[in-house]
Amino acid sequence: MTHAQGDEPATGTPPQPPVTEPAPAKPVKIKRTRVSGTWVAIIVALIILVFLLIFILQNLDSTTVAFLGMEGSMPLAVAMLFSAIAGAVLVALVGGARIFQLRKATRKANKALR
């Protein structure tokens, strides 16, 4: 025996490193896109519209509506739909004004930092 071989008997094949299994591959996370978000929004909107149509068809009883001295007759569901739309427009106007205000403040703060 030579000094390089040590106390191990010579077998003729070099020692093999221990076999390790590769780590399991991590699943690839798929990012959401604007198209997928739009698709979900369209489906939700269609479901809401179906329920709204059912509501209107079940509430066709005519009612008298008075507003600012004007008076008219229309189906109850249509009157409720108009009031809901008016409320949504009011919320959108207030929200839009707030967004405009925040963007203006952000621009002003960014200019101050430069």
Side-chain angles (χ1 to χ4, degrees):
M1 272 202 235
T2 63
H3 179 62
Q5 292 174 341
D7 294 333
E8 297 177 12
T11 59
T13 60
Q16 299 292 324
V19 177
T20 58
E21 294 183 21
K26 292 182 181 179
V28 178
K29 186 174 181 180
I30 299 173
K31 293 183 179 181
R32 295 179 187 225
T33 62
R34 290 183 184 167
V35 174
S36 67
T38 304
W39 181 251
V40 171
I42 288 172
I43 292 172
V44 170
L46 284 174
I47 292 170
I48 290 172
L49 286 175
V50 167
F51 282 120
L52 187 61
L53 180 62
I54 292 169
F55 175 78
I56 289 172
L57 291 174
Q58 289 180 345
N59 292 286
L60 289 177
D61 297 335
S62 188
T63 185
T64 302
V65 179
F67 182 69
L68 297 176
M70 298 178 287
E71 192 172 311
S73 179
M74 66 175 63
L76 176 63
V78 175
M80 293 176 73
L81 179 62
F82 283 152
S83 65
I85 290 171
V89 168
L90 180 64
V91 168
L93 288 173
V94 172
R98 180 65 178 150
I99 290 170
F100 178 75
Q101 184 183 35
L102 290 172
R103 284 184 181 174
K104 187 176 177 182
T106 303
R107 271 189 248 122
K108 188 176 182 180
N110 284 340
K111 284 183 182 180
L113 289 175
R114 291 181 190 177

